[in-house]
Amino acid sequence: MSKTPRLKGLRQFLDPEQQRAWLAGKAKLRDAEERNDEPELRFKFAPRLHKLMRLPQAPEVLKLFALYGRAAIPIPRKTERYYWSVSCLPSSAGKPLIRVNASWMELFTLYADGEGIRARFIVHLSDFTTDHSPAENRVDEAFLRRSVAAPEDAGWFFVKGADIFGVTIRGSVSIRKFLKNRRALRGIRNFNLTHMNRGRNAYQASHCYSVADYMVGG
């Protein structure tokens, strides 16, 4: 008698139909009421939040992180740490302030950019090409420039690996506009589903609960 394959990743909580509905923005998923907390881990990384809070960008960084998480991470309470995590990294100029990961992959990073903020999204290239192919010469540059407040706020780069692409957005106004664009958000969600379905998050040990509070509550 053959054994039933063990489900991995989000498939343990959401069936394919639910995932497709969420991807299309047609489903409001029911999340867990309680969070799993690890007091030792919370205590270990709490000083990093305190360091972040001394930066002028901190209030907006935390608001943007909360917006991203609520828009782009399915059932964040139920999947916290084990299927996604946030690292707080306010060390020096040019370095990330916070980063969201799933599986072995970076999903979203916020940086200080002078007195402002810059975001980096890792997505599937095929969601941001004119013909939905993973062809580098088919990047939909016009769409990317339209999806932000000013065309010069959008940038992009190619990432090693099949169908992987990086988008950079400068300024909190443009980051918000990008996250609220239907096509851009679908692309962000699609990439996040891919990696949250791959299994357990490799960055569990660096999860900063104190930052995650701003997205999923205390």
Side-chain angles (χ1 to χ4, degrees):
M1 183 176 180
S2 61
K3 293 183 179 180
T4 302
R6 185 176 179 181
L7 297 176
K8 292 199 309 181
L10 291 176
R11 299 177 190 89
Q12 298 172 81
F13 316 112
L14 302 171
D15 63 36
E17 185 176 346
Q18 289 174 306
Q19 293 189 36
R20 286 192 295 270
W22 177 78
L23 176 63
K26 296 179 179 180
K28 186 173 182 179
L29 304 176
R30 184 173 181 178
D31 203 354
E33 293 185 7
E34 301 293 331
R35 296 166 65 192
N36 290 318
D37 205 334
E38 293 289 341
E40 290 185 9
L41 203 59
R42 176 180 286 276
F43 180 77
K44 179 179 180 181
F45 292 115
R48 296 193 184 186
L49 175 62
H50 298 155
K51 187 174 182 179
L52 175 67
M53 294 301 287
R54 293 197 290 269
L55 300 178
Q57 297 95 336
E60 190 62 17
V61 163
L62 293 170
K63 288 177 184 176
L64 289 170
F65 163 67
L67 175 62
Y68 174 88
R70 290 167 185 159
I73 301 292
I75 51 172
R77 283 178 167 247
K78 190 173 289 186
T79 56
E80 183 180 4
R81 185 184 169 206
Y82 297 107
Y83 296 95
W84 69 271
S85 64
V86 58
S87 300
C88 188
L89 307 158
S91 52
S92 59
K95 299 293 184 180
L97 299 178
I98 63 170
R99 173 174 287 156
V100 180
N101 294 289
S103 184
W104 291 92
M105 182 61 67
E106 169 193 343
L107 304 180
F108 173 67
T109 307
L110 287 169
Y111 299 82
D113 186 25
E115 293 298 312
I117 301 168
R118 174 169 46 93
R120 181 167 74 182
F121 300 84
I122 306 299
V123 292
H124 287 303
L125 174 57
S126 56
D127 285 318
F128 291 87
T129 54
T130 54
D131 59 357
H132 301 289
S133 73
E136 293 185 2
N137 64 347
R138 296 288 186 176
V139 172
D140 195 342
E141 298 181 11
F143 164 72
L144 288 168
R145 293 191 176 103
R146 288 195 310 270
S147 66
V148 292
E152 62 271 20
D153 289 343
W156 50 90
F157 58 97
F158 299 104
V159 181
K160 185 178 180 181
D163 200 17
I164 303 179
F165 184 56
V167 178
T168 59
I169 306 293
R170 186 179 63 189
S172 59
V173 173
S174 284
I175 296 167
R176 288 176 181 276
K177 185 175 180 182
F178 190 70
L179 281 167
K180 292 178 180 179
N181 180 283
R182 182 177 296 180
R183 177 180 170 188
L185 181 58
R186 183 184 176 95
I188 293 165
R189 286 182 169 188
N190 191 33
F191 189 81
N192 292 0
L193 284 175
T194 294
H195 291 278
M196 291 180 74
N197 275 319
R198 286 191 168 176
R200 289 276 182 140
N201 173 31
Y203 297 90
Q204 297 175 33
S206 63
H207 183 57
C208 185
Y209 282 97
S210 299
V211 170
D213 290 345
Y214 284 84
M215 183 173 81
V216 296

